[in-house]
Amino acid sequence: MKVGFGCDHAAVELKNALLEHLKERGYECVDFGSYAPEDKVDYPVIGQKVGEALVAGEIDKGVLVCGTGIGISISANKVPGVRAAVCSEPYSAKLTAMHNDANIIAMGARVVGVELAKMIVDSFFDAEFEGGRHQRRVDLIKDIEAKYSK
């Protein structure tokens, strides 16, 4: 599985730690930046880049990090086909994969520490979409997206 990573300048250290963690678990990782804390980057630019790479099929899933995880996930969710979820603990990360078929996990570098962030991404990547009754709901989300994407 190919995973795209992105962050703003506030979250470079956490992004790098998560990227290395998933590499150690055998994932192929693509880094969309930011690459250094001193390089000021606007999180909407990075969220869009990762979102576009996802829907283009260049990556299979994504990990986004900014100060809170909120802004970068909102930005990614503007790309049709993205279902990015901000999670600050493993249970929500697991369920968003299982029930919402989320394809991007986001978190805040100012909210979670490195070890908790690793548990969050592990829960997200170890879970599989259950389909069934959840597929109907994901389809409803897609219908809303299609209505406003015109």
Side-chain angles (χ1 to χ4, degrees), residues 6-7 11 19 22 34-35 51-52 69 78 89 94 103 110 112 118-119 128 131 134 136 149:
C7 69
L19 191 147
L22 286 185
S34 175
Y35 306 105
E52 288 175 346
K78 297 299 178 184
E89 38 70 35
K94 176 182 176 180
N103 44 28
R110 296 178 180 139
V112 300
K118 288 177 184 178
M119 289 188 278
E128 292 184 24
H134 305 295
R136 184 178 65 82
S149 294

Side-chain angles (χ1 to χ4, degrees), residues 7-60:
C7 69
D8 67 0
H9 53 276
V12 173
E13 186 177 310
L14 182 58
K15 179 210 61 178
N16 290 341
L18 294 174
L19 191 147
E20 288 305 315
H21 176 68
L22 286 185
K23 273 186 181 177
E24 289 171 5
R25 290 195 58 197
Y27 291 91
E28 182 179 351
C29 299
V30 180
D31 190 347
F32 290 89
S34 175
Y35 306 105
E38 59 274 4
D39 296 336
K40 302 299 180 197
V41 175
D42 295 319
Y43 58 78
V45 174
I46 301 297
Q48 181 181 358
K49 275 186 189 179
V50 173
E52 288 175 346
L54 180 92
V55 299
E58 297 168 20
I59 58 174
D60 302 302

Side-chain angles (χ1 to χ4, degrees), residues 104-133:
I104 295 179
I105 187 80
M107 63 197 80
R110 296 178 180 139
V111 179
V112 300
V114 173
E115 294 308 313
L116 179 57
K118 288 177 184 178
M119 289 188 278
I120 292 167
V121 296
D122 287 348
S123 293
F124 180 75
F125 283 95
D126 290 346
E128 292 184 24
F129 181 55
E130 292 181 342
R133 72 182 194 276

Side-chain angles (χ1 to χ4, degrees), residues 74-97:
I74 290 171
S75 303
N77 277 319
K78 297 299 178 184
V79 178
V82 170
R83 287 178 305 283
V86 181
C87 296
S88 299
E89 38 70 35
Y91 182 71
S92 295
K94 176 182 176 180
L95 288 187
T96 199

